[in-house]
């Protein structure tokens, strides 16, 4: 939605009914600048190709095979030649440092936030997955858990093998890093940012 408001022509795919809340946000946009689909991005058939494919804050849900299936769709079906995919990737270094953290989020009615929530984060160093579990403080018997496969940039580059996509840059906080040149400093990826934006160019 923010991209459409910034003047880009956007096609959005979202599997959940959250997408139904996008209706009013499209008011004032140029006709045809936003197409929304409530659908599965593993299954949907989209007409045409795109200069840019974005996946914000979700890559890593599912198995390595799922991720590769999606990357192949991005490369083979959705991107124009020379196009670029911008993909948020969960950073294992920071998620690992959160293993065992137990957070308590208290309500803030003045800000319109009424929930009293607990969160426990675990990290499995064998599968390189973070497990993030949330529950209402008053209802600990109904936890909701998400499991997130985290990829180091080196792992991500291996995952891309054979997809036609190449990792050409990493955006970490306010820094743009090259995957091959020496890094000015490491703390951004080691400690400060739980995800980084991978710039994947269609080169194959
Ligand atoms: C963590 S949320 C991020 C949402 C949004 N991009 C943002 O930054 O606020 C990941 C989103 O991906 C959606 N999603 C997960 N699997 C999907 C699939 N197979 N097809 C389409 N959307 C999917 C989820 O429903 C969820 O809304």
């Amino acid at each position: 939605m923010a991209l459409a408001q910034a003047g880009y022509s956007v096609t959005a795919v979202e599997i959940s009914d959250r997408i139904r809340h996008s209706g009013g946000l499209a008011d004032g946009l140029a006709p045809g600048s936003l197409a929304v689909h409530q659908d599965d991005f593993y299954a949907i058939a989209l007409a045409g190709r795109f200069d840019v494919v974005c996946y914000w804050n979700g890559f890593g849900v599912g198995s390595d095979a799922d991720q590769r299936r999606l990357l192949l769709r991005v490369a083979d079906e959705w991107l124009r030649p020379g196009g670029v995919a911008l993909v948020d990737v969960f950073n294992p270094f920071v998620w690992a440092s959160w293993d065992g953290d137990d957070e308590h989020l208290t309500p803030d009615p003045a800000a319109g936030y009424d929930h009293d929530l607990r969160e426990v984060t675990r990290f499995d160093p064998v599968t390189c997955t973070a497990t993030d579990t949330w529950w209402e403080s008053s209802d600990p018997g109904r936890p909701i858990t998400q499991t997130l496969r985290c990829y180091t940039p080196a792992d991500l580059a291996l995952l891309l093998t054979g997809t036609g996509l190449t990792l050409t840059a990493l955006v970490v906080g306010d820094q743009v890093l090259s995957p091959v040149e020496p890094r000015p400093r490491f703390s951004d990826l080691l400690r400060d940012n739980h995800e980084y934006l991978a710039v994947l160019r269609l080169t194959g």
Side-chain angles (χ1 to χ4, degrees):
M1 188 61 61
L3 289 173
Q5 287 166 347
Y8 294 95
S9 176
V10 173
T11 298
V13 181
E14 165 59 50
I15 202 167
S16 77
D17 62 4
R18 294 172 72 192
I19 203 153
R20 295 196 198 131
H21 301 290
S22 66
L25 298 172
D27 294 348
L29 292 178
S33 64
L34 179 66
V36 295
H37 303 274
Q38 184 174 1
D39 212 323
D40 182 348
F41 52 50
Y42 290 114
I44 191 170
L46 292 170
R49 289 184 175 253
F50 306 89
D51 298 316
V52 180
V53 173
C54 302
Y55 188 6
W56 310 128
N57 191 234
F59 185 80
V61 172
S63 64
D64 289 345
D66 292 329
Q67 262 74 259
R68 281 181 58 80
R69 199 152 52 98
L70 184 60
L71 291 165
L72 282 166
R73 294 212 76 190
V74 170
D76 294 345
E77 299 177 50
W78 297 336
L79 279 180
R80 289 200 180 100
V84 76
L86 304 175
V87 180
D88 283 332
V89 179
F90 296 116
N91 173 14
F93 300 110
V94 169
W95 282 93
S97 75
W98 290 347
D99 179 60
D101 281 7
D102 184 343
E103 301 276 341
H104 184 189
L105 284 85
T106 51
D108 184 358
Y113 186 76
D114 298 325
H115 298 279
D116 190 297
L117 295 178
R118 297 286 300 275
E119 177 193 16
V120 167
T121 308
R122 303 307 310 243
F123 186 82
D124 179 336
V126 175
T127 59
C128 205
T129 50
T131 303
D132 193 21
T133 302
W134 297 80
W135 66 94
E136 292 273 358
S137 303
S138 60
D139 196 4
R142 286 203 309 152
I144 297 173
T145 294
Q146 61 174 347
T147 300
L148 308 169
R149 172 71 158 98
C150 306
Y151 296 93
T152 65
D155 282 345
L156 182 67
L158 282 176
L159 191 78
L160 295 174
T161 306
T163 63
L165 296 166
T166 303
L167 178 63
T168 56
L170 311 161
V171 183
V172 188
D174 60 1
Q175 290 208 79
V176 181
L177 304 182
S178 156
V180 289
E181 286 164 13
R183 254 73 49 194
R185 62 178 205 263
F186 293 98
S187 62
D188 296 299
L189 259 184
L190 284 174
R191 285 182 282 279
D192 299 336
N193 291 276
H194 74 286
E195 58 185 0
Y196 59 90
L197 181 75
V199 180
L200 312 178
R201 192 161 286 281
L202 186 59
T203 50

